[in-house]
Amino acid sequence: MNLTDPMETKSKVGTDFAMQPIGFVRSPFQETSQVPRGLGAKHTKEGILEIRPELEAGLTDIEGFSHLFVIWVFDRSEGHRLMGQPPSDDRPHGVFATRSPFRPNPLGLTVVELVRREGNRLHVRGLDMLDGTPILDIKPYLSSISMEKLRRGWLAEAEARAKGSEPKS
Amino acid sequence: MNLTDPMETKSKVGTDFAMQPIGFVRSPFQETSQVPRGLGAKHTKEGILEIRPELEAGLTDIEGFSHLFVIWVFDRSEGHRLMGQPPSDDRPHGVFATRSPFRPNPLGLTVVELVRREGNRLHVRGLDMLDGTPILDIKPYLSSISMEKLRRGWLAEAEARAKGSEPKS
């Protein structure tokens, strides 16, 4: 592999990438405490991804997809913590091994089910964002990792402990 | 639902969210033309997600996960196009219904398989990013949408056309 010299790209660390909302989430959740969290939390709430009208053409043909990735901003979280204890476990884990809102870049990622589109408004199911959350991007969900191939680390262990059984090794 | 007044949040559209790389991709791909694209493209290349040393604690326990989401920046794409023709089809689609690099916010999203971790370096399989690509976030891949529940819109239709058969309705 002919890799770029690490020192050369290191100077890019100081680079800021400025992102602007493409729209906002209309959600029934006004406060974090209302969002289901922890083991077995189900996200079934419906709401709307309201995209800026001038970007509506970018939604063309999105109706054909059952599920979408939404990349959004934890705009009500301040600062980051490299280690934290998620609601689904009684032990701390690294921020990149969790969905903690206190991330170096406060980005959220949610898979939602697309119920229908009305112009620049996407009616979706499975929200876990607060009302007014800024949306940065939407992408089609194209394929899945099969559950047989998936290992889920501390989360699987926490689930096993919660059931009172030993985690599989 | 007690939704926020749309006009109130509309003023947030002017808000920039500044993101800084948490690290960089070490990939065998130096140019876009080297990245497999289009129908049936397989991403099996290995490379490294090199995280800034001061953020290494944030990777604690990530080894337990077989797959990760990587959110990154298309740092060599300029501008955006609301409609575009992806390499997997002969028809144009809206940017939010494709993985086009020319997006209002130039964010990429890739699912990689975690092969192993060495300190602040994650060895991964399934890269589709160029060498030196800035990484904004890493999250554990926790669950999948089952293939039976997934509809893949124009992509499924393009695949069906490529096979010379009619798309399923």
Side-chain angles (χ1 to χ4, degrees), chain B residues 34-55:
Chain B
Q34 297 170 330
V35 183
R37 303 173 76 208
L39 289 178
K42 299 265 184 241
H43 295 116
T44 56
K45 287 287 184 188
E46 295 193 16
I48 294 169
L49 310 180
E50 189 171 337
I51 305 307
R52 288 160 48 196
E54 66 270 30
L55 301 178

Side-chain angles (χ1 to χ4, degrees), chain A residues 39-159:
Chain A
L39 290 177
K42 300 261 184 246
H43 295 116
T44 56
K45 287 288 185 189
E46 296 193 16
I48 294 170
L49 310 179
E50 189 171 337
I51 305 307
R52 287 159 50 197
E54 67 270 30
L55 300 179
E56 183 179 327
L59 299 173
T60 305
D61 297 337
I62 205 165
E63 304 89 324
F65 293 91
S66 59
H67 293 78
L68 304 174
F69 287 114
V70 185
I71 302 177
W72 46 277
V73 181
F74 284 105
D75 65 328
R76 277 152 274 186
S77 296
E78 293 202 4
H80 71 267
R81 302 180 202 142
L82 291 181
M83 293 287 290
Q85 192 168 309
S88 42
D89 202 356
D90 52 7
R91 306 168 189 203
H93 304 287
V95 65
F96 301 121
T98 75
R99 294 162 47 99
S100 161
F102 305 105
R103 320 182 71 78
N105 292 305
L107 293 171
L109 176 66
T110 302
V111 175
V112 297
E113 184 183 347
L114 179 58
V115 177
R116 68 179 187 280
R117 173 182 161 202
E118 281 175 9
N120 66 326
R121 296 157 66 92
L122 302 177
H123 292 254
V124 298
R125 184 179 296 126
L127 290 177
D128 61 356
M129 308 83 134
L130 297 178
D131 189 42
T133 291
I135 303 167
L136 296 186
D137 206 356
I138 295 175
K139 295 174 190 287
Y141 187 109
L142 299 181
S143 66
S144 287
I145 306 296
S146 73
M147 288 305 285
E148 299 85 60
K149 290 188 182 169
L150 208 57
R151 279 187 304 116
R152 301 181 307 130
W154 64 260
L155 185 63
E157 292 169 19
E159 285 175 356

Side-chain angles (χ1 to χ4, degrees), chain A residues 2 4 30 61 93 131 144-145, chain B residues 2 4 30 93 131 144-145:
Chain A
N2 176 21
T4 309
Q30 301 297 326
D61 297 337
H93 304 287
D131 189 42
S144 287
I145 306 296
Chain B
N2 176 20
T4 310
Q30 301 298 324
H93 305 287
D131 188 42
S144 288
I145 306 296

Side-chain angles (χ1 to χ4, degrees), chain B residues 23-42:
Chain B
F24 295 92
V25 179
R26 304 292 160 205
S27 153
F29 303 125
Q30 301 298 324
E31 296 174 22
T32 307
S33 63
Q34 297 170 330
V35 183
R37 303 173 76 208
L39 289 178
K42 299 265 184 241

Side-chain angles (χ1 to χ4, degrees), chain B residues 74-93:
Chain B
F74 284 105
D75 64 329
R76 276 152 276 187
S77 295
E78 294 201 4
H80 73 265
R81 301 179 204 144
L82 292 180
M83 293 287 290
Q85 192 169 308
S88 42
D89 202 357
D90 52 6
R91 303 168 191 204
H93 305 287

Side-chain angles (χ1 to χ4, degrees), chain B:
Chain B
M1 284 197 266
N2 176 20
L3 298 181
T4 310
D5 175 40
M7 295 313 293
E8 188 186 323
T9 52
K10 223 145 233 174
S11 61
K12 285 198 219 158
V13 167
T15 309
D16 270 12
F17 295 98
M19 306 283 161
Q20 286 216 338
I22 62 165
F24 295 92
V25 179
R26 304 292 160 205
S27 153
F29 303 125
Q30 301 298 324
E31 296 174 22
T32 307
S33 63
Q34 297 170 330
V35 183
R37 303 173 76 208
L39 289 178
K42 299 265 184 241
H43 295 116
T44 56
K45 287 287 184 188
E46 295 193 16
I48 294 169
L49 310 180
E50 189 171 337
I51 305 307
R52 288 160 48 196
E54 66 270 30
L55 301 178
E56 183 178 328
L59 298 173
T60 305
D61 297 337
I62 206 166
E63 303 89 324
F65 293 91
S66 59
H67 293 78
L68 304 174
F69 286 114
V70 185
I71 302 177
W72 47 277
V73 182
F74 284 105
D75 64 329
R76 276 152 276 187
S77 295
E78 294 201 4
H80 73 265
R81 301 179 204 144
L82 292 180
M83 293 287 290
Q85 192 169 308
S88 42
D89 202 357
D90 52 6
R91 303 168 191 204
H93 305 287
V95 65
F96 300 122
T98 74
R99 294 162 47 98
S100 162
F102 305 105
R103 319 183 70 79
N105 291 305
L107 293 171
L109 176 66
T110 302
V111 175
V112 297
E113 184 184 348
L114 179 57
V115 177
R116 69 180 187 280
R117 173 182 160 202
E118 282 173 8
N120 66 326
R121 295 156 67 93
L122 302 177
H123 292 254
V124 298
R125 186 180 295 125
L127 291 177
D128 61 356
M129 307 85 134
L130 297 178
D131 188 42
T133 291
I135 303 167
L136 296 185
D137 205 357
I138 295 176
K139 295 174 189 286
Y141 187 108
L142 299 179
S143 66
S144 288
I145 306 296
S146 71
M147 289 305 286
E148 300 84 62
K149 289 187 182 168
L150 208 57
R151 280 187 305 115
R152 300 182 308 130
W154 63 261
L155 185 62
E157 292 169 20
E159 285 175 355
R161 278 199 307 277
K163 285 184 189 161
S165 63
E166 283 298 298
K168 291 179 202 168
S169 62

